[in-house]
């Protein structure tokens, strides 16, 4: 997912989608891979941002925090990749505010915030 995010931000959408499809083909669907698969489906355009965020914000408190952290980051990436800095910034901020220790998305979100604010 992180590699797909980097590819999207670099304007390499076709490479990102191809990599995600290859990963999904090689990964068997099971309960523990359901959430990452949903993120991948979102990045490929098969799941809407609204559906992703709604799914993330359901469940128990810890799952909700973890998924919100991830979902808002990837939704921010999708918006930033589509030149929607105004839409991406609040999502990156929400990811950072819901930081979960050990997750890679919060520091990446903070880097995106700096990058987007530096371009203004």
């Amino acid at each position: 997912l992180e590699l797909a995010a980097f590819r999207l931000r670099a304007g390499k959408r076709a490479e990102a989608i191809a990599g995600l499809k290859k990963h999904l083909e090689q990964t068997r669907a099971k309960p523990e891979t359901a959430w990452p698969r949903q993120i991948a489906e979102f990045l490929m355009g098969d799941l809407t941002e609204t559906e992703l965020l709604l799914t993330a914000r359901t469940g128990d408190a810890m799952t909700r925090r973890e998924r919100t952290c991830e979902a808002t980051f990837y939704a921010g990436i999708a918006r930033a990749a589509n030149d929607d800095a105004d839409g991406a910034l609040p999502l990156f901020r929400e990811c950072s505010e819901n930081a979960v220790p050990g997750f890679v998305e919060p520091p990446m979100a903070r880097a995106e915030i700096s990058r987007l604010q530096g371009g203004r």
Side-chain angles (χ1 to χ4, degrees):
L1 294 175
E2 294 91 3
L3 180 57
F6 286 123
R7 286 177 172 159
L8 284 171
R9 282 300 277 138
K12 298 180 179 184
R13 181 171 175 70
E15 287 181 35
I17 303 270
L20 287 167
K21 285 182 179 180
K22 183 178 179 181
H23 175 73
L24 290 177
E25 289 170 3
Q26 295 174 348
T27 307
R28 294 179 38 175
K30 46 191 171 187
E32 59 270 20
T33 62
W35 175 241
R37 289 179 78 82
Q38 286 180 312
I39 295 171
E41 289 170 0
F42 164 73
L43 292 173
M44 291 187 302
D46 297 335
L47 189 69
T48 68
E49 179 181 297
T50 301
E51 291 170 317
L52 179 73
L53 294 175
L54 180 62
T55 301
R57 293 175 174 144
T58 60
D60 65 58
M62 187 57 183
T63 300
R64 188 170 46 248
R65 181 175 173 213
E66 290 175 352
R67 288 183 176 179
T68 297
C69 174
E70 293 170 325
T72 53
F73 172 74
Y74 291 104
I77 286 293
R79 285 182 178 242
N82 287 317
D83 295 323
D84 181 7
D86 291 336
L89 278 168
L91 291 163
F92 289 135
R93 287 186 185 113
E94 186 174 351
C95 173
S96 183
E97 291 165 4
N98 285 290
V100 176
F103 278 42
V104 299
E105 291 84 2
M108 290 168 57
R110 287 188 287 278
E112 287 293 336
I113 291 168
S114 294
R115 179 178 175 177
L116 291 172
Q117 288 177 334
R120 293 182 172 206

